PDB file of all heavy atoms in Angstrom:
ATOM      1  N   ILE A1156      -1.716  13.937   1.655  1.00 80.00           N
ATOM      2  CA  ILE A1156      -2.647  14.825   2.326  1.00 80.00           C
ATOM      3  C   ILE A1156      -2.714  16.121   1.515  1.00 80.00           C
ATOM      4  O   ILE A1156      -1.709  16.721   1.175  1.00 80.00           O
ATOM      5  CB  ILE A1156      -2.121  15.137   3.784  1.00 80.00           C
ATOM      6  CG1 ILE A1156      -2.283  13.913   4.636  1.00 80.00           C
ATOM      7  CG2 ILE A1156      -2.905  16.305   4.392  1.00 80.00           C
ATOM      8  CD1 ILE A1156      -1.836  14.061   6.037  1.00 80.00           C
ATOM      9  N   GLU A1160      -6.101  20.359   3.317  1.00 87.00           N
ATOM     10  CA  GLU A1160      -6.291  19.587   4.561  1.00 87.00           C
ATOM     11  C   GLU A1160      -5.236  19.911   5.621  1.00 87.00           C
ATOM     12  O   GLU A1160      -5.315  19.441   6.724  1.00 87.00           O
ATOM     13  CB  GLU A1160      -6.248  18.082   4.274  1.00 87.00           C
ATOM     14  CG  GLU A1160      -7.485  17.572   3.568  1.00 87.00           C
ATOM     15  CD  GLU A1160      -7.397  16.106   3.265  1.00 87.00           C
ATOM     16  OE1 GLU A1160      -6.300  15.625   2.904  1.00 87.00           O
ATOM     17  OE2 GLU A1160      -8.393  15.429   3.407  1.00 87.00           O
ATOM     18  N   SER A1162      -3.284  21.885   8.481  1.00 92.00           N
ATOM     19  CA  SER A1162      -3.744  22.753   9.572  1.00 92.00           C
ATOM     20  C   SER A1162      -3.367  24.215   9.266  1.00 92.00           C
ATOM     21  O   SER A1162      -2.324  24.481   8.693  1.00 92.00           O
ATOM     22  CB  SER A1162      -3.018  22.364  10.906  1.00 92.00           C
ATOM     23  OG  SER A1162      -3.517  21.144  11.300  1.00 92.00           O
ATOM     24  N   ARG A1163      -4.231  25.107   9.652  1.00 93.00           N
ATOM     25  CA  ARG A1163      -3.922  26.519   9.447  1.00 93.00           C
ATOM     26  C   ARG A1163      -4.599  27.289  10.600  1.00 93.00           C
ATOM     27  O   ARG A1163      -5.531  26.810  11.194  1.00 93.00           O
ATOM     28  CB  ARG A1163      -4.390  27.005   8.101  1.00 93.00           C
ATOM     29  CG  ARG A1163      -5.847  27.324   8.010  1.00 93.00           C
ATOM     30  CD  ARG A1163      -6.310  27.410   6.600  1.00 93.00           C
ATOM     31  NE  ARG A1163      -6.462  26.050   6.067  1.00 93.00           N
ATOM     32  CZ  ARG A1163      -7.359  25.750   5.137  1.00 93.00           C
ATOM     33  NH1 ARG A1163      -8.102  26.689   4.606  1.00 93.00           N
ATOM     34  NH2 ARG A1163      -7.472  24.534   4.707  1.00 93.00           N
ATOM     35  N   ARG A1165      -6.056  31.223  11.236  1.00 92.00           N
ATOM     36  CA  ARG A1165      -6.324  32.502  10.639  1.00 92.00           C
ATOM     37  C   ARG A1165      -5.685  33.649  11.487  1.00 92.00           C
ATOM     38  O   ARG A1165      -5.590  33.481  12.692  1.00 92.00           O
ATOM     39  CB  ARG A1165      -7.846  32.757  10.578  1.00 92.00           C
ATOM     40  CG  ARG A1165      -8.469  31.850   9.625  1.00 92.00           C
ATOM     41  CD  ARG A1165     -10.013  31.967   9.707  1.00 92.00           C
ATOM     42  NE  ARG A1165     -10.594  31.125   8.672  1.00 92.00           N
ATOM     43  CZ  ARG A1165     -10.749  31.541   7.412  1.00 92.00           C
ATOM     44  NH1 ARG A1165     -10.401  32.760   7.112  1.00 92.00           N
ATOM     45  NH2 ARG A1165     -11.277  30.740   6.515  1.00 92.00           N
ATOM     46  N   ASP A1168      -7.495  34.635  14.453  1.00 94.00           N
ATOM     47  CA  ASP A1168      -7.430  33.585  15.491  1.00 94.00           C
ATOM     48  C   ASP A1168      -6.085  33.576  16.205  1.00 94.00           C
ATOM     49  O   ASP A1168      -5.995  33.219  17.360  1.00 94.00           O
ATOM     50  CB  ASP A1168      -7.726  32.242  14.833  1.00 94.00           C
ATOM     51  CG  ASP A1168      -9.202  32.113  14.434  1.00 94.00           C
ATOM     52  OD1 ASP A1168     -10.028  32.758  15.098  1.00 94.00           O
ATOM     53  OD2 ASP A1168      -9.474  31.355  13.491  1.00 94.00           O
ATOM     54  N   ARG A1464      -3.946  21.177  22.146  1.00 96.00           N
ATOM     55  CA  ARG A1464      -3.913  21.946  20.903  1.00 96.00           C
ATOM     56  C   ARG A1464      -3.188  21.125  19.807  1.00 96.00           C
ATOM     57  O   ARG A1464      -3.615  21.085  18.656  1.00 96.00           O
ATOM     58  CB  ARG A1464      -3.204  23.294  21.089  1.00 96.00           C
ATOM     59  CG  ARG A1464      -4.091  24.241  21.864  1.00 96.00           C
ATOM     60  CD  ARG A1464      -3.430  25.596  22.012  1.00 96.00           C
ATOM     61  NE  ARG A1464      -4.246  26.478  22.861  1.00 96.00           N
ATOM     62  CZ  ARG A1464      -5.328  27.106  22.430  1.00 96.00           C
ATOM     63  NH1 ARG A1464      -5.707  26.990  21.165  1.00 96.00           N
ATOM     64  NH2 ARG A1464      -6.077  27.882  23.277  1.00 96.00           N
ATOM     65  N   ARG A1465      -2.112  20.449  20.218  1.00 96.00           N
ATOM     66  CA  ARG A1465      -1.380  19.606  19.246  1.00 96.00           C
ATOM     67  C   ARG A1465      -2.320  18.503  18.767  1.00 96.00           C
ATOM     68  O   ARG A1465      -2.353  18.119  17.593  1.00 96.00           O
ATOM     69  CB  ARG A1465      -0.124  19.059  19.875  1.00 96.00           C
ATOM     70  CG  ARG A1465       0.900  20.122  20.231  1.00 96.00           C
ATOM     71  CD  ARG A1465       1.684  20.585  19.073  1.00 96.00           C
ATOM     72  NE  ARG A1465       2.806  19.699  18.756  1.00 96.00           N
ATOM     73  CZ  ARG A1465       3.102  19.331  17.537  1.00 96.00           C
ATOM     74  NH1 ARG A1465       2.385  19.709  16.520  1.00 96.00           N
ATOM     75  NH2 ARG A1465       4.144  18.508  17.338  1.00 96.00           N
ATOM     76  N   VAL A1550       0.165  15.580  27.027  1.00 90.00           N
ATOM     77  CA  VAL A1550      -1.186  15.230  27.449  1.00 90.00           C
ATOM     78  C   VAL A1550      -1.211  14.191  28.514  1.00 90.00           C
ATOM     79  O   VAL A1550      -2.280  13.824  29.046  1.00 90.00           O
ATOM     80  CB  VAL A1550      -2.048  14.714  26.235  1.00 90.00           C
ATOM     81  CG1 VAL A1550      -2.220  15.778  25.185  1.00 90.00           C
ATOM     82  CG2 VAL A1550      -1.436  13.465  25.622  1.00 90.00           C
TER      83      VAL A1550
ATOM     84  N   ASP B1428       6.017  16.111  10.418  1.00 93.00           N
ATOM     85  CA  ASP B1428       5.324  16.453  11.655  1.00 93.00           C
ATOM     86  C   ASP B1428       4.109  17.346  11.364  1.00 93.00           C
ATOM     87  O   ASP B1428       3.049  17.210  11.970  1.00 93.00           O
ATOM     88  CB  ASP B1428       6.288  17.196  12.585  1.00 93.00           C
ATOM     89  CG  ASP B1428       5.659  17.428  13.963  1.00 93.00           C
ATOM     90  OD1 ASP B1428       5.459  16.443  14.680  1.00 93.00           O
ATOM     91  OD2 ASP B1428       5.354  18.604  14.280  1.00 93.00           O
ATOM     92  N   ARG B1430       2.300  17.449   8.655  1.00 94.00           N
ATOM     93  CA  ARG B1430       1.194  16.663   8.044  1.00 94.00           C
ATOM     94  C   ARG B1430       0.554  15.713   9.074  1.00 94.00           C
ATOM     95  O   ARG B1430      -0.654  15.547   9.044  1.00 94.00           O
ATOM     96  CB  ARG B1430       1.710  15.923   6.817  1.00 94.00           C
ATOM     97  CG  ARG B1430       1.824  16.845   5.616  1.00 94.00           C
ATOM     98  CD  ARG B1430       2.562  16.257   4.461  1.00 94.00           C
ATOM     99  NE  ARG B1430       2.972  17.373   3.585  1.00 94.00           N
ATOM    100  CZ  ARG B1430       2.185  17.931   2.666  1.00 94.00           C
ATOM    101  NH1 ARG B1430       0.954  17.457   2.462  1.00 94.00           N
ATOM    102  NH2 ARG B1430       2.598  18.939   1.950  1.00 94.00           N
ATOM    103  N   SER B1432       0.335  16.367  12.200  1.00 95.00           N
ATOM    104  CA  SER B1432      -0.508  17.234  13.046  1.00 95.00           C
ATOM    105  C   SER B1432      -1.818  17.536  12.374  1.00 95.00           C
ATOM    106  O   SER B1432      -2.914  17.521  12.983  1.00 95.00           O
ATOM    107  CB  SER B1432       0.231  18.564  13.322  1.00 95.00           C
ATOM    108  OG  SER B1432       1.405  18.366  14.019  1.00 95.00           O
ATOM    109  N   SER B1433      -1.767  17.793  11.070  1.00 95.00           N
ATOM    110  CA  SER B1433      -2.957  18.114  10.319  1.00 95.00           C
ATOM    111  C   SER B1433      -3.924  16.908  10.303  1.00 95.00           C
ATOM    112  O   SER B1433      -5.120  17.061  10.515  1.00 95.00           O
ATOM    113  CB  SER B1433      -2.632  18.503   8.841  1.00 95.00           C
ATOM    114  OG  SER B1433      -1.668  19.553   8.888  1.00 95.00           O
ATOM    115  N   ARG B1435      -4.023  14.434  12.463  1.00 94.00           N
ATOM    116  CA  ARG B1435      -4.527  14.295  13.831  1.00 94.00           C
ATOM    117  C   ARG B1435      -5.699  15.208  14.089  1.00 94.00           C
ATOM    118  O   ARG B1435      -6.722  14.797  14.602  1.00 94.00           O
ATOM    119  CB  ARG B1435      -3.380  14.642  14.759  1.00 94.00           C
ATOM    120  CG  ARG B1435      -3.424  14.088  16.145  1.00 94.00           C
ATOM    121  CD  ARG B1435      -2.045  14.043  16.756  1.00 94.00           C
ATOM    122  NE  ARG B1435      -1.356  15.349  16.680  1.00 94.00           N
ATOM    123  CZ  ARG B1435      -0.073  15.471  16.579  1.00 94.00           C
ATOM    124  NH1 ARG B1435       0.735  14.429  16.533  1.00 94.00           N
ATOM    125  NH2 ARG B1435       0.488  16.661  16.539  1.00 94.00           N
ATOM    126  N   ARG B1437      -7.714  16.657  11.921  1.00 94.00           N
ATOM    127  CA  ARG B1437      -8.909  16.431  11.119  1.00 94.00           C
ATOM    128  C   ARG B1437      -9.564  15.065  11.335  1.00 94.00           C
ATOM    129  O   ARG B1437     -10.773  14.950  11.306  1.00 94.00           O
ATOM    130  CB  ARG B1437      -8.549  16.550   9.617  1.00 94.00           C
ATOM    131  CG  ARG B1437      -8.403  17.984   9.184  1.00 94.00           C
ATOM    132  CD  ARG B1437      -8.120  18.053   7.711  1.00 94.00           C
ATOM    133  NE  ARG B1437      -7.980  19.482   7.396  1.00 94.00           N
ATOM    134  CZ  ARG B1437      -8.993  20.247   7.047  1.00 94.00           C
ATOM    135  NH1 ARG B1437     -10.213  19.736   6.938  1.00 94.00           N
ATOM    136  NH2 ARG B1437      -8.782  21.548   6.795  1.00 94.00           N
ATOM    137  N   HIS B1447      -8.559  17.902  30.101  1.00 94.00           N
ATOM    138  CA  HIS B1447      -7.756  18.897  29.401  1.00 94.00           C
ATOM    139  C   HIS B1447      -8.559  19.967  28.691  1.00 94.00           C
ATOM    140  O   HIS B1447      -8.327  20.279  27.547  1.00 94.00           O
ATOM    141  CB  HIS B1447      -6.824  18.212  28.386  1.00 94.00           C
ATOM    142  CG  HIS B1447      -5.627  17.530  29.012  1.00 94.00           C
ATOM    143  ND1 HIS B1447      -4.876  18.112  29.998  1.00 94.00           N
ATOM    144  CD2 HIS B1447      -5.046  16.339  28.809  1.00 94.00           C
ATOM    145  CE1 HIS B1447      -3.911  17.329  30.361  1.00 94.00           C
ATOM    146  NE2 HIS B1447      -3.980  16.214  29.641  1.00 94.00           N
ATOM    147  N   TYR B1464      -7.960  24.869  14.212  1.00 95.00           N
ATOM    148  CA  TYR B1464      -6.792  24.698  13.356  1.00 95.00           C
ATOM    149  C   TYR B1464      -7.149  24.173  11.993  1.00 95.00           C
ATOM    150  O   TYR B1464      -6.313  23.755  11.203  1.00 95.00           O
ATOM    151  CB  TYR B1464      -5.760  23.826  14.071  1.00 95.00           C
ATOM    152  CG  TYR B1464      -5.255  24.423  15.348  1.00 95.00           C
ATOM    153  CD1 TYR B1464      -5.797  24.122  16.587  1.00 95.00           C
ATOM    154  CD2 TYR B1464      -4.280  25.448  15.301  1.00 95.00           C
ATOM    155  CE1 TYR B1464      -5.398  24.725  17.738  1.00 95.00           C
ATOM    156  CE2 TYR B1464      -3.840  26.071  16.473  1.00 95.00           C
ATOM    157  CZ  TYR B1464      -4.403  25.706  17.686  1.00 95.00           C
ATOM    158  OH  TYR B1464      -3.964  26.331  18.809  1.00 95.00           O
ATOM    159  N   GLY B1466      -9.047  26.122  10.065  1.00 89.00           N
ATOM    160  CA  GLY B1466      -9.299  27.294   9.285  1.00 89.00           C
ATOM    161  C   GLY B1466     -10.761  27.680   9.178  1.00 89.00           C
ATOM    162  O   GLY B1466     -11.137  28.451   8.297  1.00 89.00           O
ATOM    163  N   ARG B1472     -17.430  27.910  13.644  1.00 95.00           N
ATOM    164  CA  ARG B1472     -16.941  27.078  14.759  1.00 95.00           C
ATOM    165  C   ARG B1472     -17.947  27.094  15.888  1.00 95.00           C
ATOM    166  O   ARG B1472     -18.274  26.050  16.483  1.00 95.00           O
ATOM    167  CB  ARG B1472     -15.612  27.629  15.269  1.00 95.00           C
ATOM    168  CG  ARG B1472     -14.462  27.499  14.335  1.00 95.00           C
ATOM    169  CD  ARG B1472     -13.126  27.528  15.086  1.00 95.00           C
ATOM    170  NE  ARG B1472     -12.888  28.709  15.866  1.00 95.00           N
ATOM    171  CZ  ARG B1472     -12.188  29.755  15.414  1.00 95.00           C
ATOM    172  NH1 ARG B1472     -11.678  29.736  14.171  1.00 95.00           N
ATOM    173  NH2 ARG B1472     -11.966  30.797  16.161  1.00 95.00           N
TER     174      ARG B1472
END
Side-chain angles (χ1 to χ4, degrees):
Chain A
I1156 289 180
E1160 287 178 321
S1162 291
R1163 81 196 77 149
R1165 293 171 175 277
D1168 289 331
R1464 288 183 184 280
R1465 296 280 278 136
V1550 296
Chain B
D1428 187 69
R1430 282 169 197 276
S1432 298
S1433 305
R1435 203 157 52 211
R1437 283 183 181 271
H1447 282 317
Y1464 296 98
R1472 294 202 299 265

